[in-house]
Amino acid sequence: SQQGEEDPQALSIQEGENATMNCSYKTSINNLQWYRQNSGRGLVHLILIRSNEREKHSGRLRVTLDTSKKSSSLLITASRAADTASYFCATVAGGFKTIFGAGTRLFVKA
Amino acid sequence: DVKVTQSSRYLVKRTGEKVFLECVQDMDHENMFWYRQDPGLGLRLIYFSYDVKMKEKGDIPEGYSVSREKKERFSLILESASTNQTSMYLCASSFQGSGANVLTFGAGSRLTVL
């Protein structure tokens, strides 16, 4: 079962622009995480936000969480060509089970 | 640098063959996971293990089994491979102590079943 649904499915922007990806989920969560996947490779953890947090920053990444709407957004500021990848939100509701959405494919044009 | 290592990057097998996918982590993580990734479907959890010899079914365990005889190693077994098991398989591990379940992934194993 997919918990997270990302929006948009694909996004194409120019280098230097900001990229925003959204994620909606269905059940209560302990935390929400964002991962990045370069083409054909494994996923890399980017950032985690706990259910009692509303916003988190890490470098050029900003994540928000609205538990009342069961949604999150990932903002990448001043995008670079190297940010081209797929981005996944993942939720942890309890225990050790992490559920992923289908991902957003980001393409940053140089 | 900490690692999750998957034994094969690419495999091609025939229908009906038994397939072993091996995963080893060097971080002393208690939890290990197997996901499969298909276009448009994201990652779906097949099985996970929170301790040696312990296993739990994920969302799509049918057609798969797992083995965890040692803490660092988690194997995924396809007893009789079928074409609908053609996919990218991703192994991951996590540390129990933090409670956050942040996953460290391997590079993936792309399996083609003919």
Side-chain angles (χ1 to χ4, degrees):
Chain A
S1 61
Q2 277 178 254
Q3 167 79 305
E5 299 280 342
E6 284 95 339
D7 169 53
Q9 290 185 336
L11 180 61
S12 182
I13 59 173
Q14 292 291 137
E15 206 167 29
E17 293 180 340
N18 295 342
T20 299
M21 288 159 264
N22 302 297
C23 169
S24 60
Y25 58 91
K26 297 173 186 172
T27 64
S28 297
I29 59 171
N30 284 347
N31 69 70
L32 184 143
Q33 303 171 30
W34 287 89
Y35 289 80
R36 165 193 169 129
Q37 184 182 37
N38 286 61
S39 181
R41 307 295 294 183
L43 280 72
V44 174
H45 180 260
L46 293 176
I47 194 167
L48 176 151
I49 187 165
R50 298 186 186 276
S51 60
N52 60 353
E53 297 176 311
R54 292 296 166 258
E55 189 170 312
K56 200 106 176 257
H57 295 255
S58 177
R60 293 185 295 114
L61 304 180
R62 173 178 169 255
V63 171
T64 61
L65 179 65
D66 186 336
T67 52
S68 66
K69 295 181 180 177
K70 292 187 170 56
S71 67
S72 173
S73 67
L74 172 68
L75 168 68
I76 304 173
T77 59
S79 296
R80 306 165 183 167
D83 293 329
T84 294
S86 293
Y87 292 83
F88 294 86
C89 73
T91 53
V92 179
F96 310 122
K97 191 173 176 182
T98 302
I99 300 177
F100 288 80
T104 293
R105 289 170 57 194
L106 173 66
F107 181 65
V108 182
K109 293 177 278 188
Chain B
D1 195 17
V2 292
K3 273 190 177 176
V4 175
T5 303
Q6 295 184 230
S7 55
S8 305
R9 285 284 286 136
Y10 300 96
L11 302 95
V12 179
K13 299 291 181 181
R14 298 229 174 252
T15 301
E17 280 193 76
K18 191 168 185 175
V19 181
F20 291 88
L21 299 178
E22 304 284 344
C23 176
V24 177
Q25 51 95 5
D26 65 0
M27 296 167 282
D28 203 33
H29 283 173
E30 296 89 350
N31 303 325
M32 296 189 75
F33 305 82
W34 276 106
Y35 287 87
R36 67 175 278 177
Q37 182 179 21
D38 300 288
L41 296 177
L43 279 74
R44 292 179 291 167
L45 182 62
I46 305 171
Y47 268 99
F48 65 101
S49 169
Y50 53 88
D51 200 354
V52 175
K53 298 192 185 295
M54 304 305 292
K55 61 184 179 183
E56 292 282 343
K57 292 181 180 178
D59 297 316
I60 52 163
E62 296 78 19
Y64 303 94
S65 63
V66 290
S67 172
R68 193 161 181 208
E69 296 297 317
K70 293 184 178 180
K71 189 177 185 179
E72 67 271 19
R73 187 179 298 269
F74 193 36
S75 303
L76 180 69
I77 303 153
L78 288 66
E79 292 289 342
S80 178
S82 63
T83 55
N84 63 12
Q85 292 178 310
T86 291
S87 188
M88 169 74 104
Y89 290 87
L90 292 164
C91 176
S93 69
S94 70
F95 175 56
Q96 281 184 11
S98 70
N101 206 43
V102 172
L103 301 176
T104 301
F105 280 87
S109 298
R110 188 168 292 281
L111 171 67
T112 301
V113 183
L114 303 175

